């Protein structure tokens, strides 16, 4: 297909190449006219438009009901004996006390709730489980009645993107595996701090490490966990404790060897 074939098929004039270049301004204006005509034209559904010039016509063409659908308002009005309901008389709410989601109809005569999702109609959705795979929960997550882990359990972690994940100790999750001399880790015993949590119980003292302080020391910085903004968020306590334990074990083993050598020398002497 040559350049200009689409324009010709759409009813537009095309240039042959023999025109006077001094008339280029006129052709530019004609092109702008075509753009304006296409912009103001009603685009049919098969071209990605609505096939209408009004919101009501577009909804009809697309099969989309209007906000506060009249049929729904009339049906609910008949159900509750409320005449001439308007769009703002209808809403959807979560009724935590009754453990259900309801459609609420309100008017001067009062307020009425009709359950549309309950434990009976969708078991588990609002009770013991969330059925959506890959769903996102914003805010705090409370599990006051969670069951204790007794078999096959793993440590849970929060990735810096917010995902809850299990521990990954298997070598199938890892690469570049190599042994390391615990002494080569350097000084991995940071200073202990006392503090109170900003949103914790007033006057309650806590004891532990500060992520920013560990980030300042090249030896302890590898154990700092950063958030998505690159700021220190928390500490990989398990990895740090394992490394500290390895250093302690190495030091105690060396001490045991020296004591054994001294005892052997004393026995010979």
């Amino acid at each position: 297909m040559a350049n200009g074939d689409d324009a010709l098929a759409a009813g537009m004039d095309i240039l042959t190449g023999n025109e006077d270049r001094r008339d280029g301004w006129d052709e530019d204006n004609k092109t702008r006219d075509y753009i304006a005509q296409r912009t103001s034209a009603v685009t049919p559904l098969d071209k990605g438009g609505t096939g209408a010039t009004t919101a009501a016509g577009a909804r009809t063409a697309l099969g989309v009901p209007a906000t506060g659908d009249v049929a729904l308002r009339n049906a609910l009005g008949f159900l509750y004996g409320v005449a001439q309901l308007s769009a703002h008389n209808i809403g959807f709410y979560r009724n935590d006390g009754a453990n259900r989601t309801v459609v609420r109809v309100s008017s001067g005569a009062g307020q009425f709730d009709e359950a549309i999702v309950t434990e009976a109609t969708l078991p588990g959705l609002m009770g013991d489980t969330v059925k959506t795979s890959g769903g996102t929960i914003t805010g705090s997550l409370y599990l006051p009645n969670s069951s204790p882990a007794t078999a096959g359990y793993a440590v849970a972690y929060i990735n810096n993107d917010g995902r809850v994940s299990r521990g990954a100790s298997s070598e199938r999750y890892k690469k570049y595996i190599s042994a390391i001399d615990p002494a080569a880790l350097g000084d991995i015993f940071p200073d202990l701090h006392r503090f109170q949590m900003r949103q914790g119980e007033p006057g309650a003292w806590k004891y532990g490490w500060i992520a920013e302080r560990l980030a300042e020391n090249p030896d302890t910085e590898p154990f700092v966990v950063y958030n998505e903004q690159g700021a220190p968020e928390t500490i990989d306590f398990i990895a740090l404790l394992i490394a500290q334990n390895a250093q302690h074990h190495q030091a105690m083993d060396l001490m045991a060897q020296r004591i054994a050598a001294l005892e052997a020398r004393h026995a010979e002497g």
Side-chain angles (χ1 to χ4, degrees):
M1 180 177 290
N3 290 339
D5 286 354
D6 287 339
L8 185 62
M12 299 181 185
D13 295 335
I14 61 173
L15 303 179
T16 64
N18 298 317
E19 291 79 3
D20 190 337
R21 68 178 62 185
R22 290 174 297 181
D23 294 331
W25 61 271
D26 189 53
E27 296 299 331
D28 286 343
N29 287 339
K30 182 185 293 186
T31 301
R32 294 175 184 180
D33 285 341
Y34 286 145
I35 295 173
Q37 293 165 10
R38 290 298 187 272
T39 301
S40 60
V42 177
T43 305
L45 295 178
D46 60 355
K47 297 295 185 179
T50 65
T53 59
T54 65
R59 286 195 296 268
T60 300
L62 296 173
V64 178
T67 303
D69 182 72
V70 175
L72 175 61
R73 296 204 304 270
N74 290 341
L76 291 172
F78 175 80
L79 178 64
Y80 293 108
V82 180
Q84 295 180 343
L85 285 175
S86 60
H88 66 272
N89 291 131
I90 303 174
F92 293 89
Y93 299 88
R94 166 69 176 161
N95 188 324
D96 292 313
N99 195 30
R100 63 183 183 175
T101 298
V102 301
V103 56
R104 176 169 296 172
V105 180
S106 60
S107 70
Q111 176 176 290
F112 311 91
D113 287 349
E114 178 70 16
I116 58 174
V117 179
T118 65
E119 284 290 338
T121 58
L122 274 171
L125 180 62
M126 295 172 291
D128 52 2
T129 59
V130 177
K131 300 297 185 181
T132 303
S133 175
T136 299
I137 298 176
T138 59
S140 299
L141 174 65
Y142 297 93
L143 300 172
N145 298 319
S146 60
S147 59
T150 58
Y153 55 85
V155 176
Y157 294 87
I158 304 293
N159 280 287
N160 63 357
D161 60 4
R163 288 179 295 123
V164 178
S165 303
R166 61 178 178 268
S169 297
S170 172
E171 66 178 6
R172 67 179 181 275
Y173 299 118
K174 306 172 182 179
K175 61 183 180 180
Y176 309 134
I177 300 174
S178 61
I180 186 172
D181 179 8
L185 296 175
D187 180 11
I188 56 175
F189 291 87
D191 294 333
L192 191 65
H193 289 81
R194 186 177 77 155
F195 52 86
Q196 294 183 13
M197 300 301 294
R198 293 183 182 275
Q199 298 179 350
E201 179 184 354
W205 289 102
K206 305 293 182 181
Y207 301 87
W209 297 317
I210 307 298
E212 285 81 357
R213 302 294 81 77
L214 269 70
E216 295 169 354
N217 183 347
D219 293 336
T220 55
E221 192 276 335
F223 301 98
V224 176
V225 179
Y226 297 87
N227 60 24
E228 291 182 301
Q229 290 71 43
E233 183 74 18
T234 185
I235 299 166
D236 189 344
F237 293 96
I238 294 179
L240 181 55
L241 291 173
I242 289 174
Q244 291 175 338
N245 183 67
Q247 277 196 351
H248 276 305
H249 176 76
Q250 184 182 60
M252 292 178 64
D253 185 57
L254 291 174
M255 185 179 297
Q257 294 178 31
R258 292 175 181 175
I259 292 175
L262 289 174
E263 289 177 343
R265 189 180 304 169
H266 178 73
E268 293 175 357

